[in-house]
Amino acid sequence: MTDQNLKILVIGSGGREHTIAKECARSPRVDQVMVTPGNGGINREFVSFTVGVEDNQGIVKLAQDQKIDLVVVGPEVPLCNGLVDALNEQGILAYGPDAAGARLEGSKAYTKDFLAKYSIPTAAYGNFSEVSPALQYLQTCQLPVVVKASGLAAGKGVLICESMEEAQAAVEDMLSGESFGESGKEVVIEEFLDGEEASLHLICSGESYVAMPMSQDHKKVGEGDTGLNTGGMGAYAPTSLVTPEMLSKYEEEIVRPTLAGLKAEGVNFRGTLYIGLMLTETGAKVLEFNVRFGDPETQVILPLLADDLVELLLQSARGERMPDKVAFKNESAMVVVLASKGYPGSYPKGEIITEAPDSIDNAVLIHAGTQEKDGQVVTAGGRVLGAVGIGNTLVEAKEKAYKMAEAVNFESKYFRSDIGHREFSRS
Ligand code: AMP
Ligand code: GLY
């Protein structure tokens, strides 16, 4: 082993970053994990700093001052802002794609053209930056129709429109800059796809990759997948929805052509490629690419890895060939997100979290929208905490996750009680 006594700096402040920091800290190669800017839980567990995720030069300086061996970038915004490019320019190793690779998440219009060019299955679409051709195209679409802001919109830029009027208004609001600012100045109008969704996470280095267990997110705020879309109210892995045979097919039809296409475009993709798939009657289609780990999917995927995460992150960051095989535990994981009542609309902040056990009986509590204030941990976001259960079966994982969810206490605590319902209805 050449890599020893490593110092790792994790960039971000959510449940994903709390999980990444914990998993990196378990590696025998790692001496210390630091985080910036962190949250109320991360900052109690790890050395933290106040440099923000959008401060490229501040992060470069911090990594130099702290003699960091590897920077792991959590969220998409700094990746799209070229943080990895800035770090690499100074000779600092960083996990995550450069700005060219991050366009796969930063521009849905670019991604749709990329998918079309390389014949990768996706919904029929048109990209528009002018109102009148967009409205004309809408006339040719069937309802419901999907209107998307092309740029980053924190998961909120997708509207599934049931009527033509709604779709026209969405297009006009986006293109005028009214609803999503710069991110909406270009729109994608897309065919509605019907089916179940699943997420495939890959750790990539050029055309080589390792695939993580398939997971399923729960995007709707309400029980039975009703109500508004959120960043994710819970997730579990692995899912039996995708068999090993199906996964091989997706690798053949989607993963390999994507990585080969990126190479042909001159992009040496390193980092996480998160492929959001819709499993339709006519096969799996790409809904979206993200260029970072999902949140809350990370909370259930990384704990299932039996091999050393840090070794994989280093191989990817260095552009080395990824191993042909990685080992996963023969276990299941579930995360139940504890949100503030009202989310994704407005919700209270600053509530004292009176009960927040770090762990109980194979369940851990992951911090997301929390903050330390006057020695207490208070709520500071819509998605506050994640209760993660691990078990030999998903039933066991669920029991543990919900036991933890019940043990936590803050006034506006809200969580869905049916995480995993699709999986349980299959078995
Ligand atoms: P995206 O950010 O593009 O993944 O979209 C967010 C969510 O909107 C997805 O996870 C889907 O639930 C839904 N969605 C996006 N595109 C479509 C589509 N073409 N058909 C049906 N649902 C979609
Ligand atoms: N949970 C969805 C995402 O991270 O994009």
Side-chain angles (χ1 to χ4, degrees):
M1 265 203 288
T2 47
D3 295 304
Q4 289 291 357
N5 306 113
L6 299 177
K7 277 176 94 173
I8 296 203
L9 175 66
V10 178
I11 309 299
S13 60
R16 164 182 50 214
E17 288 76 20
H18 195 181
T19 307
I20 292 173
K22 273 183 185 289
E23 294 300 323
C24 285
R26 291 195 314 135
S27 167
R29 297 171 188 278
V30 170
D31 210 22
Q32 197 173 23
V33 175
M34 299 175 163
V35 184
T36 195
N39 59 34
I42 291 174
N43 300 3
R44 287 188 165 189
E45 200 173 329
F46 301 97
V47 173
S48 304
F49 301 89
T50 54
V51 182
V53 301
E54 296 190 44
D55 181 359
N56 282 7
Q57 288 319 310
I59 292 170
V60 168
K61 183 162 183 313
L62 178 61
Q64 286 169 332
D65 289 350
Q66 296 297 327
K67 302 193 166 42
I68 296 295
D69 297 297
L70 175 69
V71 177
V72 183
V73 185
E76 62 276 15
V77 170
L79 293 168
C80 292
N81 285 346
L83 174 57
V84 169
D85 311 61
L87 288 160
N88 286 169
E89 272 162 31
Q90 297 305 318
I92 303 162
L93 202 56
Y95 177 78
D98 57 14
R103 278 187 83 194
L104 280 186
E105 179 161 2
S107 169
K108 289 186 190 289
Y110 162 82
T111 294
K112 293 298 289 192
D113 286 344
F114 172 86
L115 291 167
K117 181 170 173 184
Y118 293 98
S119 306
I120 298 161
T122 192
Y125 75 104
N127 294 337
F128 302 94
S129 41
E130 303 288 338
V131 175
S132 78
L135 295 184
Q136 248 169 24
Y137 179 80
L138 269 184
Q139 296 306 321
T140 69
C141 297
Q142 287 187 337
L143 291 170
V145 64
V146 185
V147 180
K148 302 183 174 183
S150 176
L152 293 182
K156 300 192 181 88
V158 174
L159 296 177
I160 295 171
C161 303
E162 302 290 341
S163 73
M164 222 19 106
E165 293 70 39
E166 203 185 326
Q168 285 164 350
V171 163
E172 283 167 359
D173 287 351
M174 283 185 192
L175 288 179
S176 68
E178 211 167 283
S179 44
F180 294 100
E182 280 303 311
S183 291
K185 290 276 173 81
E186 189 170 16
V187 298
V188 178
I189 300 177
E190 196 174 274
E191 165 198 15
F192 176 81
L193 298 176
D194 208 8
E196 256 198 82
E197 284 185 60
S199 313
L200 174 57
H201 284 72
L202 311 168
I203 296 180
C204 306
S205 176
E207 286 187 277
S208 69
Y209 63 91
V210 293
M212 310 301 267
M214 296 279 315
S215 59
Q216 204 166 33
D217 190 7
H218 297 59
K219 291 209 162 106
K220 302 280 188 189
V221 71
E223 307 273 318
D225 300 320
T226 54
L228 294 173
N229 256 335
T230 69
M233 292 300 294
Y236 67 91
T239 169
S240 68
L241 177 64
V242 176
T243 61
E245 294 71 38
M246 287 161 79
L247 180 60
S248 302
K249 199 164 144 66
Y250 305 161
E251 292 186 66
E252 197 61 42
E253 291 175 358
I254 294 171
V255 175
R256 283 194 270 277
T258 297
L259 296 177
L262 284 167
K263 187 178 178 199
E265 297 293 314
V267 178
N268 178 21
F269 192 91
R270 290 172 299 157
T272 307
L273 184 64
Y274 163 140
I275 309 182
L277 294 170
M278 185 69 94
L279 311 187
T280 74
E281 276 182 354
T282 55
K285 297 190 176 173
V286 175
L287 276 180
E288 63 166 344
F289 288 130
N290 294 317
V291 297
R292 36 84 194 164
F293 288 108
D295 193 344
E297 292 93 326
T298 307
Q299 287 82 311
V300 292
I301 290 174
L302 294 189
L304 295 180
L305 186 64
D307 286 345
D308 186 358
L309 173 67
V310 170
E311 202 169 317
L312 298 177
L313 301 182
L314 284 170
Q315 283 167 322
S316 167
R318 288 182 175 136
E320 294 169 1
R321 202 186 144 72
M322 299 306 296
D324 292 328
K325 247 187 154 32
V326 278
F328 295 98
K329 298 172 192 162
N330 193 15
E331 292 176 328
S332 287
M334 180 180 288
V335 57
V336 177
V337 170
L338 310 178
S340 299
K341 210 172 283 164
Y343 171 76
S346 61
Y347 51 83
K349 280 189 191 170
E351 288 180 0
I352 295 168
I353 303 169
T354 53
E355 299 289 338
D358 290 334
S359 64
I360 30 173
D361 181 27
N362 258 354
V364 293
L365 191 62
I366 295 294
H367 284 244
T370 68
Q371 208 175 37
E372 205 161 9
K373 206 176 164 191
D374 306 327
Q376 283 177 309
V377 179
V378 302
T379 66
R383 294 193 293 172
V384 180
L385 296 153
V388 181
I390 313 276
N392 289 323
T393 62
L394 191 64
V395 172
E396 238 179 81
K398 178 176 178 168
E399 250 171 51
K400 293 182 198 302
Y402 276 99
K403 198 165 152 195
M404 174 60 94
E406 295 291 350
V408 171
N409 194 27
F410 58 96
E411 199 183 333
S412 301
K413 179 177 80 169
Y414 164 77
F415 59 88
R416 274 181 63 170
S417 66
D418 64 345
I419 302 303
H421 70 97
R422 288 173 187 272
E423 186 73 10
F424 295 120
S425 67
R426 271 191 285 278
S427 50

